[in-house]
Amino acid sequence: MAKQPELDDFRVPFFEDGKKNSKFSLDAFDPASKPFSTGSKDSDKARLSEIGEKLDQQQERLHSQQKRRVLLVLQGMDTSGKDGTIRAVFHEVDPLGLRIVPFKAPTPVELAHDFLWRVHSQAPAAGELTIFNRSHYEDLLVPTVLGTLDAKAFEARCRHIRQFEALLADSGTTIIKCMLHISKDEQRTRLQARIDDPSKHWKFDVSDLEARKQWDAYQSAYRDALAATSTDYAPWYVIPADSKTHRNVMVAELLLRTFETLQLDYPPPKESLKGVKVE
Amino acid sequence: MAKQPELDDFRVPFFEDGKKNSKFSLDAFDPASKPFSTGSKDSDKARLSEIGEKLDQQQERLHSQQKRRVLLVLQGMDTSGKDGTIRAVFHEVDPLGLRIVPFKAPTPVELAHDFLWRVHSQAPAAGELTIFNRSHYEDLLVPTVLGTLDAKAFEARCRHIRQFEALLADSGTTIIKCMLHISKDEQRTRLQARIDDPSKHWKFDVSDLEARKQWDAYQSAYRDALAATSTDYAPWYVIPADSKTHRNVMVAELLLRTFETLQLDYPPPKESLKGVKVE
């Protein structure tokens, strides 16, 4: 087993105010690479299962304390594997301790509010581990590609996001954001597989093909969004995701190490219960 | 393997308007019995795992259709195993397809509304499988035992519940309600075990001991609540739950058979995708 690289190498450099042009580029990350693979698919699956059990324990501690909150944000192009990651990484975690929030195209009521309104209402409560399956970042990406959000408005939204995430962090929320990074070729393979299997058509939306035509525009919007919103309190990580197994292991490792830095423990025993006999 | 009994034998007789005194009695059900056990703990666990995988498939079909909704309501005395049931029965089910809603003591804002207000907002959406961990039935049980809900108000709440559940059912929601039925002795054992293990004290609330003192009043309130709200569109089942393994298998069987009556299938292939090549 080769020495594992540092997770920090996949962290998007933190945004610095006044510094307009971050040198960060998505092209520096090979979607097909498997830096956190343990060597084989089998050993990766074993590792994932091992991490899953540890995540279950960490989540129970989080819940027992009812103090801190953990938020995992998952973003990525269509077919990048957001659903699959959730299924695989959290298989061993007690469903009682998880809350998964999918963000779809906003409804008229949601659109009648500011873009963070619906997101704020879903922020994790004390003791919760919450996963955003897509998120407020869609409100940067989609309108940018559609041309309805100009550069100034984009920057304003990024500033609002940084401030919103700072509020969550200051209130005890640990935030980790993952961009599942696939190649354009891998997306073609996955979309084609869905089309070629009629039983999978229900997973397929024709708009996915439209979005694919805007691949470069989305990649560019992702780059700008990540560069402007990666902070020490809410860092972005780029997850090479052409390999599903690698993607799962890397997200799981990242989450576990983040949990470990919190040094969560169970609350102390209650003195008042000592020697109590139930009648 | 002995012939399994009918699930209907554990269903609370349906409420009939005008018939005040249902002969239904919780005492008719032995909490220590294991009618749906397959013979041994090991074979029960194997059966549970098998059902779990089938539930996962059923849930995917439910999700793919985006039409029907399924709601499982879990009630029971403290330590009856609501949390444990959720953990065990849904271990194999994709966390993406589950929404678990715990109902705690109502907040001031919730109390400022009618008792079904907070419940209605958590009803399952199209394609969702939702589990209520406690529910609107607490609003029958607790105030009855505390003496703040008289017989007339109790009957009014039961009527509102029947009408509310009829609304959900008419809108495509399949509702199953389970009372996890444990004996007073078994509760003593479980509460004592939590007290004797200081690492489990965080799970323990001193109010659990107070509620235990009202055991008979709670059993009576449960009986009346179940008798007045078991309907063909939202039936109650009594689950013998002194054995955790049996409890899990029986709830899982019940849910699976209910799913099977829905005869869910995947949506048909989309003609428009036939022969499409992704570029």
Side-chain angles (χ1 to χ4, degrees), chain B residues 52-68:
Chain B
E53 282 171 30
K54 287 184 183 172
L55 284 174
D56 183 43
Q57 291 159 13
Q58 291 286 344
Q59 184 280 323
E60 189 176 80
R61 288 169 184 216
L62 182 76
H63 173 70
S64 76
Q65 293 270 1
Q66 292 286 309
K67 282 185 194 157
R68 293 205 60 86

Side-chain angles (χ1 to χ4, degrees), chain A residues 228-264:
Chain A
T229 59
S230 187
T231 57
D232 58 349
Y233 53 86
W236 271 110
Y237 290 85
V238 178
I239 312 290
D242 276 3
S243 155
K244 295 175 185 177
T245 317
H246 172 265
R247 171 199 78 203
N248 296 340
V249 166
M250 184 170 169
V251 172
E253 288 277 8
L254 180 60
L255 190 58
L256 178 60
R257 293 197 205 172
T258 305
F259 260 112
E260 285 170 350
T261 62
L262 297 179
Q263 298 191 287
L264 297 170

Side-chain angles (χ1 to χ4, degrees), chain A residues 129-177:
Chain A
L129 166 57
T130 301
I131 301 158
F132 282 0
N133 188 359
R134 301 188 190 266
S135 66
H136 41 303
Y137 287 94
E138 293 291 315
D139 300 295
L140 285 178
L141 303 166
V142 178
T144 295
V145 172
L146 294 179
T148 55
L149 192 76
D150 65 21
K152 204 176 154 192
F154 182 92
E155 276 192 37
R157 285 201 165 184
C158 289
R159 189 174 65 248
H160 290 306
I161 288 178
R162 289 192 302 270
Q163 291 165 350
F164 167 65
E165 292 178 348
L167 168 67
L168 300 187
D170 279 352
S171 313
T173 306
T174 300
I175 305 171
I176 318 163
K177 302 181 292 195

Side-chain angles (χ1 to χ4, degrees), chain B:
Chain B
M1 184 173 136
K3 188 179 167 295
Q4 286 206 340
E6 297 293 329
L7 278 161
D8 286 358
D9 298 340
F10 295 82
R11 199 178 62 198
V12 177
F14 296 150
F15 171 79
E16 289 180 76
D17 217 355
K19 259 188 142 180
K20 281 269 168 164
N21 296 302
S22 162
K23 279 177 190 155
F24 163 70
S25 165
L26 277 171
D27 297 336
F29 301 90
D30 178 4
S33 67
K34 299 193 266 186
F36 290 86
S37 173
T38 56
S40 71
K41 201 175 242 190
D42 280 350
S43 68
D44 279 350
K45 286 190 174 168
R47 175 68 186 147
L48 186 61
S49 175
E50 191 186 318
I51 299 176
E53 282 171 30
K54 287 184 183 172
L55 284 174
D56 183 43
Q57 291 159 13
Q58 291 286 344
Q59 184 280 323
E60 189 176 80
R61 288 169 184 216
L62 182 76
H63 173 70
S64 76
Q65 293 270 1
Q66 292 286 309
K67 282 185 194 157
R68 293 205 60 86
R69 311 106 209 255
V70 175
L71 173 62
L72 173 66
V73 173
L74 290 180
Q75 282 287 156
M77 298 292 285
D78 292 322
T79 76
S80 63
K82 298 175 287 295
D83 290 4
T85 301
I86 295 171
R87 189 177 169 101
V89 173
F90 299 101
H91 184 261
E92 299 302 328
V93 177
D94 191 342
L96 278 171
L98 274 183
R99 195 161 56 84
I100 298 159
V101 185
F103 288 98
K104 313 260 180 196
T107 65
V109 172
E110 289 169 347
L111 284 172
H113 293 82
D114 70 82
F115 80 106
L116 292 172
W117 177 77
R118 66 172 183 162
V119 179
H120 206 160
S121 73
Q122 297 288 357
E128 272 194 349
L129 166 57
T130 301
I131 302 157
F132 282 0
N133 188 359
R134 300 188 190 267
S135 67
H136 41 303
Y137 286 95
E138 294 290 315
D139 300 295
L140 285 178
L141 304 166
V142 178
T144 295
V145 172
L146 295 178
T148 56
L149 193 75
D150 65 21
K152 203 177 154 192
F154 182 92
E155 276 191 38
R157 285 201 166 184
C158 289
R159 189 176 64 247
H160 291 306
I161 287 178
R162 289 192 301 270
Q163 291 165 351
F164 167 65
E165 292 178 349
L167 168 67
L168 299 187
D170 279 352
S171 312
T173 307
T174 301
I175 306 172
I176 318 162
K177 302 180 291 195
C178 292
M179 188 228 171
L180 308 181
H181 184 42
I182 56 168
S183 65
K184 197 175 176 188
D185 277 351
E186 178 65 20
Q187 192 195 49
R188 183 198 297 112
T189 306
R190 293 184 187 181
L191 286 173
Q192 193 66 57
R194 288 187 189 177
I195 289 173
D196 293 346
D197 179 353
S199 77
K200 296 279 165 62
H201 281 186
W202 63 272
K203 291 186 179 183
F204 196 92
D205 192 322
V206 180
S207 70
D208 294 356
L209 292 176
E210 290 307 310
R212 176 171 171 80
K213 288 181 190 157
Q214 308 282 354
W215 180 273
D216 292 342
Y218 269 107
Q219 294 290 307
S220 165
Y222 260 112
R223 192 220 80 88
D224 293 347
L226 269 56
T229 59
S230 189
T231 57
D232 58 348
Y233 52 86
W236 271 110
Y237 290 85
V238 179
I239 313 290
D242 276 4
S243 154
K244 295 175 184 175
T245 317
H246 172 265
R247 172 199 76 204
N248 296 339
V249 166
M250 185 170 168
V251 173
E253 288 278 7
L254 180 58
L255 189 59
L256 179 60
R257 293 197 205 171
T258 305
F259 261 112
E260 285 171 351
T261 62
L262 297 179
Q263 298 191 287
L264 297 169
D265 208 343
Y266 292 98
K270 295 176 183 165
E271 278 302 316
S272 60
L273 289 178
K274 207 172 163 183
V276 167
K277 285 288 158 208
V278 182
E279 287 176 23

Side-chain angles (χ1 to χ4, degrees), chain A residues 4-7 10 34-38 44 246 249-250 257:
Chain A
Q4 285 205 340
E6 297 293 329
L7 279 161
F10 295 82
K34 299 193 267 187
F36 289 85
S37 173
T38 56
D44 279 350
H246 172 265
V249 166
M250 184 170 169
R257 293 197 205 172

